[in-house]
Amino acid sequence: MTKFIIKRLLYSAVILVVVMFIVYALMYAMPNNYVEQQARQLATRPGATKSYQQWLDDLNKQYGMDENIVSGYFTWVKNAVTGNFGDSWKWSKPVLTEFNDTVWISFILSLVAFIFELLIAIPLGILAARKQYQVADYAATVISMICISLPTFFLACLLKLVFATKLGWVDFTGMTSRNYPKLSEFGKILDVGKHMILPAVTLIIISIGGLMRYTRTNMLEVLNADYIRTARAKGVPEKKVISKHAFRNTLIPLVTSLGGSLPSLFGGALITETLFGIQGIGFASYYSMVEADIPFTMFYLAFISLLTLLGNLLADILYAVVDPRVRLS
């Protein structure tokens, strides 16, 4: 196991270097107008001590834009490995500070949605497989197809129309109410939680469809296996057949999809957060990309790439946990 993990980490490091070089190349190829615009804004701020040309030279040097693409990339890497990602042009603060201020909002929102996704999708998928071609199966199939087909922006707008505009139960957008400063500490927690309901429901609905169908398909394959028929022929109770024999083997392919959920937990829900005004990492990354905030965009893409590689490694390790027959070497 240790040898496998070390080998995969080395592979992941190589992949990360290549991916980030591609990202840097795209940023390097952007028009200089964005860097010039940022230098002009910094030079015209009240109390600015540097001229436009001085700021322009500093920004180009800091991000390797004054060098060729290869040496410029290694300049960025050298700063990145020391934790120096520069200052965000959009948020006017260090990139890591903005990241720390927003990532935990996204993590809590995504974690709540992820837990409910598992609690809803997996049992419904198992039920649909057990009741194949019956009412429960058809109902679960219709629900899953609706969830898969709904675009995020459409569902979010629909929920806001019904629960914010028509019923007035929640605010249209934002994380807090107007009277938030006057509330008690417990009231503030409830107020923030209230504003998180619709974004969480949006994430749950758009996620459960795929996982439900995936669980049903794998459960059907397991239920048709010879050892399941043998267990039933021996008189093993159906509940034990499902919970002990079938479900454990169904977990093996499910690990692939669940391991890939790591980026979504920490990477934020870009569309959902933007539509609901939830100031998480997805919200920050969206507006950073729109306004060509190169430092924050570079960090965010590196962060997502790293999470994706770690998620794949985690999925491989979990194979050995859920299936003793799997040996990693």
Side-chain angles (χ1 to χ4, degrees):
M1 176 70 78
T2 303
K3 182 180 178 181
F4 170 80
I5 294 176
I6 293 175
K7 184 187 298 184
R8 283 299 305 271
L9 287 175
L10 292 176
Y11 288 154
S12 299
V14 174
I15 294 173
L16 182 63
V17 169
V18 174
V19 169
M20 290 315 303
F21 178 77
I22 295 174
V23 172
Y24 180 83
L26 294 174
M27 295 295 173
Y28 189 91
M30 292 176 65
N32 289 332
N33 295 343
Y34 295 109
V35 181
E36 294 171 359
Q37 179 181 351
Q38 178 63 17
R40 190 172 293 106
Q41 290 178 356
L42 292 172
T44 55
R45 283 180 178 176
T49 58
K50 295 181 181 180
S51 66
Y52 161 75
Q53 188 60 45
Q54 289 176 317
W55 274 115
L56 182 62
D57 294 340
D58 287 348
L59 290 175
N60 283 327
K61 182 178 180 180
Q62 182 178 358
Y63 301 107
M65 299 296 181
D66 58 343
E67 308 172 35
N68 63 66
I69 188 171
V70 176
S71 59
Y73 171 67
F74 283 105
T75 297
W76 179 83
V77 170
K78 182 177 68 174
N79 292 329
V81 295
T82 59
N84 179 21
F85 290 92
D87 294 334
S88 169
W89 299 350
K90 162 66 178 175
W91 310 106
S92 301
K93 64 175 74 170
V95 168
L96 291 181
T97 300
E98 175 63 20
F99 170 75
N100 188 62
D101 291 342
T102 56
V103 68
W104 298 113
I105 298 173
S106 295
F107 174 72
I108 294 173
L109 176 62
S110 300
L111 180 62
V112 171
F114 180 67
I115 291 174
F116 278 96
E117 176 190 349
L118 297 181
L119 294 177
I120 295 172
I122 293 180
L124 286 179
I126 294 174
L127 176 64
R130 291 180 59 191
K131 306 292 184 180
Q132 187 180 19
Y133 303 134
Q134 298 181 27
V135 175
D137 183 23
Y138 291 131
T141 300
V142 170
I143 293 173
S144 66
M145 294 305 296
I146 292 175
C147 294
I148 293 172
S149 303
L150 281 174
T152 303
F153 69 90
F154 174 79
L155 177 60
C157 292
L158 182 62
L159 291 176
K160 289 199 292 185
L161 175 65
V162 175
F163 296 100
T165 305
K166 299 295 183 181
L167 299 178
W169 291 355
V170 294
D171 289 343
F172 191 76
T173 187
M175 295 178 55
T176 58
S177 302
R178 296 178 180 177
N179 61 339
Y180 178 80
K182 301 179 181 179
L183 298 175
S184 63
E185 292 300 320
F186 183 69
K188 290 180 179 179
I189 295 175
L190 290 180
D191 185 63
V192 174
K194 179 182 176 183
H195 286 77
M196 291 289 186
I197 292 176
L198 290 187
V201 170
T202 302
L203 293 177
I204 293 169
I205 291 176
I206 64 175
S207 301
I208 61 174
L211 183 58
M212 191 189 308
R213 296 292 296 170
Y214 197 64
T215 304
R216 177 186 180 275
T217 301
N218 288 286
M219 194 67 178
L220 282 174
E221 183 178 350
V222 172
L223 289 176
N224 291 323
D226 291 339
Y227 69 92
I228 295 295
R229 287 195 289 266
T230 301
R232 285 170 172 166
K234 289 182 177 181
V236 177
E238 184 67 16
K239 184 177 181 181
K240 190 174 182 180
V241 170
I242 298 298
S243 60
K244 185 176 181 179
H245 298 283
F247 181 62
R248 182 175 179 84
N249 288 280
T250 304
L251 280 176
I252 299 174
L254 282 177
V255 164
T256 304
S257 61
L258 298 183
S261 64
L262 185 62
S264 63
L265 285 177
F266 288 93
L270 188 148
I271 298 176
T272 303
E273 290 180 13
T274 303
L275 290 172
F276 285 100
I278 304 299
Q279 298 177 10
I281 187 68
F283 178 93
S285 64
Y286 170 77
Y287 283 102
S288 295
M289 293 177 188
V290 168
E291 302 194 20
D293 183 352
I294 294 177
F296 191 89
T297 301
M298 285 287 293
F299 169 79
Y300 179 74
L301 294 177
F303 178 66
I304 292 298
S305 301
L306 180 62
L307 287 181
T308 302
L309 294 171
L310 290 178
N312 292 333
L313 175 61
L314 179 62
D316 289 338
I317 295 174
L318 288 177
Y319 284 148
V321 175
V322 299
D323 188 356
R325 297 171 298 176
V326 177
R327 292 292 178 265
L328 303 177
S329 60

